[in-house]
Amino acid sequence: MDIVRDPQQFQQQALAARARGQVTALVPTMGFLHEGHASLIRWAAANAGRVCVSVFVNPTQFGPGEDLDAYPRNPEGDAALAEACGADVLFMPEPGALYAPDHCTWVEVPPLAQHLCGASRPVHFRGVATVVTMLLNLAQPDVAVFGQKDWQQLALLRRMVRDLHLPCRIEGRPIVREADGLALSSRNVYLGPAERAQAPGLHAGLLAAAALARAGQRDAATLKAAIAAHYAAHVPAGEVDYIEIVDPETVQPVATLAGAALAAVAVRLGRARLIDNELLQP
Ligand code: PAF
């Protein structure tokens, strides 16, 4: 596996691979890789001839007071895991290498960035869309692979790629969970033992709503109230940021389930802000 730090070198290699007719998959990450990322890299290795993994803690997707400086990092561990999962190239740019000091160009997808995480993290999705556009331009991938835990990010990037006619397919892969249901996340390291014990309750609340939807409940307010009641009982240390039922493609809130809908939640548990989601199939 090659480790490349220079963006121009990374792009030159990508253009040469494209000219050779090699199919490239890109797995963009912020590092501190875990089994969720591993599943994305393994999928990429099984579906593309050339696999690039990027590790870059993107400063522009963190707002003031968020955990940019504390964000966990493990470059050696990331390199070992990426290589073991089949990556051919690991792109690890220095923080200043992607953004010029006078950087002033942004990519925004406002309708998909307003709700859910966008409501409490106003600059987040502008930072994500901008850095992913840079990474797609540098890596020239045929397919870019993202986890479904960040469902809103996935929906927004799909729309961005469609609207800008970017020559790349976006592949979303299922959430990987601990045995007790907690969705894997680099931020799970922030959880203390008491918080970790309550954290599986996030998914359990979503599963309770999914069971109600299967049994015929179509009223979003009732489903949200069921999740909130579950959290009050089983995640008492949690501070709910949002509990929403949205259209899976547009991520706009729905009042009634006409077809499949997405239940999405964000809960602060100690220092961690955890997100999770579950498709509701009426
Ligand atoms: O999902 C993430 O890890 C990040 O938001 C991404 C897509 C790598 C952009 O920095």
Side-chain angles (χ1 to χ4, degrees):
M1 185 184 72
D2 272 355
I3 299 185
V4 180
R5 294 184 192 279
D6 176 46
Q8 272 60 52
Q9 186 190 349
F10 183 53
Q11 190 178 51
Q12 286 309 316
Q13 289 180 354
L15 291 167
R18 177 159 272 204
R20 285 195 301 271
Q22 266 186 310
V23 172
T24 294
L26 171 69
V27 184
T29 81
M30 296 208 302
F32 206 64
L33 301 183
H34 50 64
E35 195 49 40
H37 298 110
S39 74
L40 306 182
I41 303 169
R42 286 193 205 104
W43 184 91
N47 288 278
R50 178 170 173 271
V51 176
C52 300
V53 176
S54 64
V55 169
F56 180 66
V57 181
N58 173 36
T60 64
Q61 68 188 75
F62 291 78
E66 291 189 6
D67 59 342
L68 172 60
D69 293 335
Y71 197 83
R73 288 159 167 88
N74 180 13
E76 291 80 21
D78 291 345
L81 187 134
E83 183 161 32
C85 293
D88 300 295
V89 182
L90 182 60
F91 177 50
M92 285 179 136
E94 297 300 337
L98 290 190
Y99 291 96
D102 56 350
H103 176 97
C104 60
T105 305
W106 301 100
V107 181
E108 296 194 69
V109 193
L112 281 93
Q114 274 161 9
H115 301 292
L116 308 182
C117 292
S120 57
R121 306 187 71 194
V123 299
H124 176 68
F125 288 113
R126 182 183 84 154
V128 169
T130 302
V131 81
V132 171
T133 303
M134 289 184 191
L135 293 168
L136 296 180
N137 281 331
L138 292 171
Q140 305 275 312
D142 298 274
V143 59
V145 194
F146 298 86
Q148 291 174 350
K149 184 171 76 65
D150 296 291
W151 187 287
Q152 185 176 14
Q153 166 174 286
L154 187 58
L156 180 143
L157 293 174
R158 283 205 169 107
R159 181 68 66 87
M160 177 187 90
V161 161
R162 188 205 74 178
D163 286 356
L164 298 181
H165 302 276
L166 300 179
C168 172
R169 191 166 67 76
I170 300 289
E171 172 76 17
R173 302 300 304 160
I175 298 175
V176 177
R177 299 181 181 280
E178 303 278 8
D180 61 11
L182 174 63
L184 295 194
S185 163
S186 303
R187 290 188 166 101
N188 289 351
V189 290
Y190 296 152
L191 295 169
E195 294 149 0
R196 176 64 187 82
Q198 292 183 26
L202 252 73
H203 188 227
L206 290 169
L207 290 180
L212 285 174
R214 270 198 310 278
Q217 182 54 258
R218 283 171 165 59
D219 180 49
T222 306
L223 293 165
K224 287 194 278 185
I227 299 171
H230 188 96
Y231 291 174
H234 300 285
V235 193
E239 189 192 315
V240 172
D241 182 353
Y242 63 77
I243 297 172
E244 262 308 345
I245 313 287
V246 298
D247 178 282
E249 196 182 321
T250 65
V251 298
Q252 303 303 307
V254 297
T256 309
L257 272 62
L262 187 82
V265 299
V267 176
R268 287 177 201 282
L269 205 44
R271 280 178 60 221
R273 180 177 177 282
L274 304 178
I275 59 173
D276 203 348
N277 64 72
E278 186 72 29
L279 268 181
L280 309 182
Q281 309 275 6

